[in-house]
Amino acid sequence: MNVKHTPTNIIHKGQKGGTTGCGTDTNEHPTHWTNTSEKITCDKNGCKN
């Protein structure tokens, strides 16, 4: 499962209620995140690899 940051439309590796592959905490602004099956678009280490 991947997670989408709705303000930027960037798809990260991970899921809502945890930490993304690149280390962003999805609990900080929970309304900005939504689980998705879309392809990862974040190019930071941890998400793209």
Side-chain angles (χ1 to χ4, degrees):
M1 180 68 62
N2 296 328
V3 66
K4 181 178 193 174
H5 187 238
T6 50
T8 60
N9 284 324
I10 295 175
I11 316 297
H12 297 267
K13 181 179 184 179
Q15 62 187 23
K16 189 172 178 176
T19 305
T20 65
C22 62
T24 306
D25 185 0
T26 63
N27 292 311
E28 212 166 284
H29 298 284
T31 57
H32 290 187
W33 298 95
T34 168
N35 286 325
T36 183
S37 59
E38 293 177 60
K39 187 176 177 241
I40 295 169
T41 58
C42 176
D43 61 2
K44 293 180 183 172
N45 282 341
C47 280
K48 73 173 180 180
N49 305 357

